[in-house]
Coordinates of all heavy atoms in Angstrom, one line a residue:
I1294 N 54.3 43.9 60.4 CA 53.6 44.4 61.6 C 52.1 44.3 61.5 O 51.3 44.0 62.4 CB 54.0 45.8 62.0 CG1 55.5 45.9 62.4 CG2 53.1 46.5 63.1 CD1 56.1 47.2 62.6
D1300 N 44.5 34.2 62.5 CA 43.8 33.8 61.3 C 43.3 35.0 60.6 O 43.9 36.0 60.4 CB 42.7 32.8 61.6 CG 43.2 31.6 62.4 OD1 44.3 31.1 62.1 OD2 42.5 31.1 63.3
D1312 N 42.6 56.7 67.2 CA 42.3 55.6 68.1 C 42.2 56.0 69.5 O 41.9 55.2 70.4 CB 43.4 54.5 68.0 CG 43.5 53.8 66.7 OD1 42.5 53.5 66.1 OD2 44.6 53.6 66.2
D1315 N 39.0 55.1 71.7 CA 38.9 53.6 71.9 C 39.9 53.1 72.9 O 39.6 52.3 73.7 CB 39.1 52.9 70.5 CG 37.9 52.8 69.7 OD1 36.8 53.3 70.2 OD2 37.9 52.3 68.6
E1318 N 39.2 54.2 76.4 CA 38.1 53.4 77.0 C 38.6 52.1 77.4 O 38.2 51.6 78.5 CB 37.0 53.2 75.9 CG 35.8 52.4 76.5 CD 34.7 52.2 75.4 OE1 35.1 52.1 74.2 OE2 33.5 52.2 75.8
M1343 N 44.9 58.0 90.0 CA 45.6 56.9 89.2 C 45.0 56.8 87.8 O 45.7 56.6 86.9 CB 45.5 55.6 90.0 CG 46.4 55.4 91.2 SD 48.1 55.6 90.8 CE 48.3 54.2 89.6
E1344 N 43.7 56.8 87.8 CA 43.0 56.7 86.5 C 43.4 57.9 85.6 O 43.7 57.7 84.4 CB 41.5 56.6 86.7 CG 40.7 56.4 85.4 CD 39.3 56.2 85.6 OE1 38.9 55.4 86.5 OE2 38.5 56.7 84.8
V1355 N 49.5 57.0 72.1 CA 48.7 56.8 70.9 C 49.4 57.3 69.7 O 49.3 56.7 68.6 CB 47.3 57.6 71.1 CG1 46.6 57.6 69.8 CG2 46.4 56.8 72.1
I1366 N 38.7 41.9 62.6 CA 38.8 42.2 61.2 C 37.5 42.3 60.5 O 37.3 43.2 59.6 CB 39.6 41.0 60.5 CG1 41.1 41.1 60.9 CG2 39.5 41.1 58.9 CD1 41.9 39.9 60.4
Q1367 N 36.5 41.6 61.0 CA 35.1 41.7 60.4 C 34.4 42.9 60.7 O 33.7 43.5 59.9 CB 34.3 40.4 60.8 CG 34.9 39.1 60.4 CD 35.1 38.9 58.9 OE1 34.2 39.3 58.2 NE2 36.2 38.4 58.5
L1376 N 50.7 49.3 74.9 CA 51.2 50.7 74.9 C 52.7 50.7 75.3 O 53.0 50.2 76.4 CB 50.4 51.6 75.9 CG 48.9 51.7 75.6 CD1 48.3 52.6 76.6 CD2 48.7 52.2 74.2
N1386 N 69.9 60.4 83.2 CA 68.9 59.6 83.9 C 69.3 59.4 85.4 O 69.5 58.2 85.8 CB 68.6 58.3 83.2 CG 68.1 58.5 81.8 OD1 68.7 58.0 80.8 ND2 67.1 59.3 81.6
M1389 N 66.2 60.0 91.8 CA 66.0 60.9 92.9 C 66.4 60.2 94.2 O 66.2 59.0 94.3 CB 64.5 61.4 93.0 CG 64.1 62.2 91.8 SD 62.4 62.9 92.0 CE 61.4 61.4 92.0
E1393 N 63.9 63.7 97.8 CA 63.3 64.3 96.6 C 62.0 63.5 96.2 O 61.0 64.1 95.8 CB 64.3 64.2 95.4 CG 65.5 65.1 95.5 CD 66.6 64.9 94.5 OE1 66.9 63.7 94.2 OE2 67.1 65.9 94.0
E1397 N 58.3 65.3 96.0 CA 57.4 65.1 94.8 C 56.1 64.5 95.2 O 55.1 64.8 94.7 CB 58.1 64.1 93.8 CG 59.2 64.8 93.0 CD 58.7 65.6 91.8 OE1 58.1 65.0 91.0 OE2 58.9 66.8 91.8
N1415 N 64.2 49.1 88.7 CA 65.0 49.4 87.6 C 66.4 49.9 87.9 O 67.2 50.3 87.1 CB 64.4 50.4 86.7 CG 63.3 49.8 85.8 OD1 63.6 49.2 84.8 ND2 62.0 50.0 86.2
L1418 N 69.2 48.5 85.8 CA 68.9 48.3 84.3 C 70.0 48.7 83.4 O 70.3 48.0 82.4 CB 67.6 49.0 83.9 CG 67.1 48.8 82.5 CD1 66.9 47.4 82.2 CD2 65.9 49.7 82.2
Y1427 N 65.9 51.1 73.9 CA 65.0 50.0 74.3 C 63.6 50.4 74.3 O 63.2 51.6 74.4 CB 65.4 49.4 75.7 CG 65.1 50.3 76.9 CD1 64.0 50.1 77.6 CD2 66.0 51.3 77.3 CE1 63.7 50.9 78.7 CE2 65.8 52.1 78.3 CZ 64.6 51.9 79.1 OH 64.4 52.7 80.2
L1448 N 50.2 40.1 70.6 CA 50.6 41.5 70.7 C 52.0 41.6 71.3 O 52.9 42.4 70.8 CB 49.7 42.3 71.6 CG 48.3 42.7 70.9 CD1 47.4 43.3 72.0 CD2 48.5 43.7 69.8
A1456 N 59.8 47.1 67.8 CA 61.0 47.5 68.5 C 62.2 47.5 67.5 O 63.0 48.4 67.5 CB 61.3 46.6 69.7
L1459 N 62.2 50.4 65.1 CA 62.5 51.7 65.7 C 64.0 51.7 66.2 O 64.4 52.7 66.8 CB 61.6 52.0 66.9 CG 60.1 52.2 66.5 CD1 59.3 52.3 67.8 CD2 59.9 53.4 65.7
F1463 N 66.6 46.1 72.8 CA 66.0 45.4 74.0 C 64.5 45.8 74.1 O 64.1 46.8 73.7 CB 66.7 45.7 75.3 CG 68.1 45.2 75.4 CD1 69.1 46.1 75.0 CD2 68.4 44.0 75.9 CE1 70.5 45.7 75.1 CE2 69.7 43.5 75.9 CZ 70.8 44.4 75.5
S1466 N 60.0 45.1 80.2 CA 58.6 45.1 80.8 C 58.7 44.9 82.3 O 59.3 44.0 82.8 CB 57.9 43.9 80.2 OG 56.6 43.8 80.7
K1479 N 57.4 32.6 78.3 CA 57.3 31.8 77.1 C 57.9 32.4 75.8 O 58.3 31.7 74.9 CB 55.8 31.4 76.9 CG 55.2 30.5 77.9 CD 53.8 30.2 77.7 CE 53.2 29.3 78.7 NZ 51.7 29.1 78.5
E1487 N 63.4 41.3 90.8 CA 62.1 40.9 91.3 C 61.9 41.6 92.7 O 62.8 41.5 93.5 CB 61.9 39.4 91.4 CG 60.6 38.9 91.9 CD 60.5 37.4 92.0 OE1 61.5 36.7 91.8 OE2 59.4 36.9 92.1
P1496 N 58.2 53.8 101.0 CA 58.7 55.0 101.8 C 57.8 56.2 101.7 O 57.8 57.1 102.5 CB 60.1 55.2 101.3 CG 60.1 54.8 99.9 CD 59.2 53.6 99.9
S1512 N 54.7 39.2 93.0 CA 55.8 40.1 92.8 C 55.7 40.9 91.5 O 55.0 40.5 90.6 CB 57.2 39.3 92.9 OG 57.2 38.5 91.7

Side-chain angles (χ1 to χ4, degrees):
I1294 291 171
D1300 305 322
D1312 297 316
D1315 276 357
E1318 181 182 34
M1343 284 299 301
E1344 184 172 317
V1355 168
I1366 292 174
Q1367 300 299 319
L1376 301 179
N1386 298 125
M1389 296 188 292
E1393 290 172 319
E1397 283 279 299
N1415 281 283
L1418 182 60
Y1427 68 98
L1448 285 171
L1459 295 174
F1463 295 91
S1466 177
K1479 290 178 181 178
E1487 179 178 15
S1512 64

